[in-house]
Amino acid sequence: MTFDLNPEQDQLRDAVRALGRRYGHGYFVEKAKAGEHTTELWADAGRLGYLGVNIPTEYGGGGGGITELAIVCEELAAAGCPLLLLVVSPAIAATVINRHGTEEQRKRHLPGLADGSAKIVFAITEPEAGSNFHRLGTVARRDGDDWLLSGRKCYISGVDEAEHVLVVARTEDAASGKLKPALFLVPTDAAGLTRSKLDMEILSPENQFLLYLDDVRLPADALLGESLDAGLPALFAGLNPERITVAAMGAGTGRYAIERATEYTATRKVWGGRTIGSHQGVSHPLAHAAVQVELARLMIQKAATLYDAGRDLEAGVAGNMAKYASGEAAALAVDTAVQALGGAGMTTEYGVATLLGAVRAGRIAPVSREMILNFVAQHVLGQEKSY
């Protein structure tokens, strides 16, 4: 058992940290408030190979795993640049395509995802289904050799930046007549696909959308994989990488907030000649938050290691636990940092209140803390299913 990164992973962490600090939280906030995207940072990360660290070398990637991608997510967030599309495009879409796509789909899409010249976003959530993907209403039906997709999706990140949306729909099984999940690569300019931007109370350069699919016609090769049998495995293939990288982004955000707060409290003097950080009422909450972030980081490392070793069931448990722990720790760290800074904590200048919305959302998405507790109660503690 080891808790150390290998030399290549250490170098990756240092390099990504340097890139993130070159841009910093001020850049992130400026882009978000201007309604712009972090195009320059994304391009640099792609050029340097950080976006494709988990993609096989034969498709232009670094040949690493989710451990390496989690490092990228965490270090950019620790520099004040938590990029949600790292989760959506390299973690979910690239993993699903690599593991369950056809060779033609891998050759067509993975090189662009690796160098950052292309983005593919993911659409599963629906207004009526919520956390229950068994109730998905988006349906794909055959029309000759083509497919026709109809339905609605919500809270879909980054559609305005992507060339394709990986859409989860349901198709009728010819043998049983039952509906089963299938994934489709839908061009964002496809006829019949429209979008509506959601106004969110989250400061982010990445936008959320409602999607409407009105008989979107797709060729046969838009179906991910060789057949409909790839649908369910492909759907689950993206869940563990999603949870692990979201958790890594949360841990990085927590580290960033604590660093900002401790820099302030180590120099701020109000009562006499002592810094406010010398008072336990200030330092203990920050120390507590730091402990929670570090515990979350350990679970993230465990989950990523299990996933990269091919131990999917164990990685599912650890990934859910990591996501839960990180969501709680990040929210605690940012809130504690704001409190430690007092009024300064609520200003844009000090750069912590700007993250309140994002870390609060991290306790809800991509899976809520309550659904994770349901999962742990059922699959770890052996309790009867409660829903």
Side-chain angles (χ1 to χ4, degrees):
M1 179 182 294
T2 177
F3 295 99
D4 295 324
L5 300 177
N6 64 39
E8 292 78 16
Q9 292 166 341
D10 262 330
Q11 292 172 8
L12 176 64
R13 184 180 293 281
D14 291 344
V16 176
R17 181 185 298 126
L19 174 65
R21 289 183 173 178
R22 194 160 78 239
Y23 283 90
H25 190 59
Y27 164 84
F28 181 88
V29 170
E30 180 184 353
K31 289 292 184 179
K33 290 194 170 183
E36 299 174 356
H37 304 306
T38 53
T39 307
E40 301 86 357
L41 173 54
W42 188 271
D44 275 349
R47 177 178 57 82
L48 293 167
Y50 305 151
L51 301 180
V53 289
N54 62 311
I55 294 174
T57 55
E58 58 264 39
Y59 305 110
I66 292 303
T67 297
E68 285 74 20
L69 187 59
I71 289 171
V72 176
C73 291
E74 181 180 342
E75 290 307 321
L76 287 181
C81 298
L83 300 185
L84 180 58
L85 286 189
L86 280 171
V87 175
V88 177
S89 195
I92 301 176
T95 298
V96 169
I97 292 170
N98 181 52
R99 291 185 65 168
H100 295 284
T102 64
E103 180 60 20
E104 172 58 30
Q105 288 167 343
R106 287 191 286 269
K107 288 179 178 178
R108 187 190 317 165
H109 295 291
L110 292 180
L113 296 181
D115 66 19
S117 61
K119 297 174 185 173
I120 298 178
V121 296
F122 185 62
I124 182 171
T125 307
E126 295 184 1
E128 303 303 321
S131 298
N132 185 0
F133 82 87
H134 295 288
R135 291 188 59 192
L136 293 181
T138 300
V139 174
R141 66 183 190 277
R142 285 283 193 184
D143 186 49
D145 291 333
D146 293 344
W147 291 96
L148 292 177
L149 267 65
S150 294
R152 293 187 300 162
K153 299 290 183 180
C154 61
Y155 305 117
I156 309 306
S157 307
V159 180
D160 55 336
E161 302 181 62
E163 292 74 27
H164 287 83
V165 186
L166 190 57
V167 175
V168 182
R170 300 181 75 190
T171 62
E172 185 175 82
D173 186 278
S176 66
K178 294 181 179 179
L179 292 177
K180 58 191 298 186
L183 280 68
F184 294 87
L185 286 155
V186 182
T188 50
D189 61 357
L193 176 65
T194 56
R195 66 186 188 226
S196 175
K197 183 181 173 184
L198 284 164
D199 291 327
M200 306 291 291
E201 294 300 322
I202 299 173
L203 186 65
S204 172
E206 296 155 325
N207 297 316
Q208 301 290 313
F209 291 89
L210 289 167
L211 292 186
Y212 306 91
L213 300 102
D214 184 11
D215 279 348
V216 176
R217 182 174 293 275
L218 299 170
D221 62 0
L223 174 70
L224 185 90
E226 299 287 353
S227 71
L228 289 175
D229 292 334
L232 192 60
L235 174 60
F236 282 107
L239 297 185
N240 286 340
E242 174 191 54
R243 281 146 174 71
I244 294 167
T245 51
V246 164
M249 189 169 65
T253 301
R255 285 173 50 203
Y256 167 83
I258 292 168
E259 180 180 345
R260 296 292 292 167
T262 52
E263 287 173 353
Y264 181 86
T265 57
T267 56
R268 173 74 167 164
K269 295 179 181 179
V270 178
W271 306 108
R274 301 177 66 182
T275 63
I276 62 173
S278 69
H279 300 287
Q280 293 177 355
V282 175
S283 63
H284 280 192
L286 287 171
H288 174 63
V291 170
Q292 300 309 306
V293 169
E294 190 61 24
L295 291 173
R297 294 180 74 202
L298 289 173
M299 184 54 77
I300 293 163
Q301 186 176 355
K302 177 179 180 179
T305 299
L306 289 169
Y307 181 83
D308 289 337
R311 295 160 64 178
D312 286 351
L313 290 177
E314 294 165 279
V317 173
N320 274 293
M321 288 182 171
K323 193 273 172 187
Y324 179 94
S326 176
E328 298 298 300
L332 175 66
V334 172
D335 186 68
T336 302
V338 170
Q339 190 69 24
L341 269 69
M346 295 303 297
T347 66
T348 302
E349 176 187 357
Y350 283 87
V352 284
T354 45
L355 294 165
L356 281 168
V359 294
R360 188 61 187 84
R363 299 174 74 203
I364 301 169
V367 57
S368 72
R369 62 193 298 274
E370 290 76 18
M371 288 305 296
I372 292 177
L373 293 175
N374 282 335
F375 177 90
V376 172
Q378 181 183 349
H379 295 284
V380 179
L381 305 182
Q383 300 303 298
E384 184 179 355
K385 189 174 181 180
S386 63
Y387 57 94

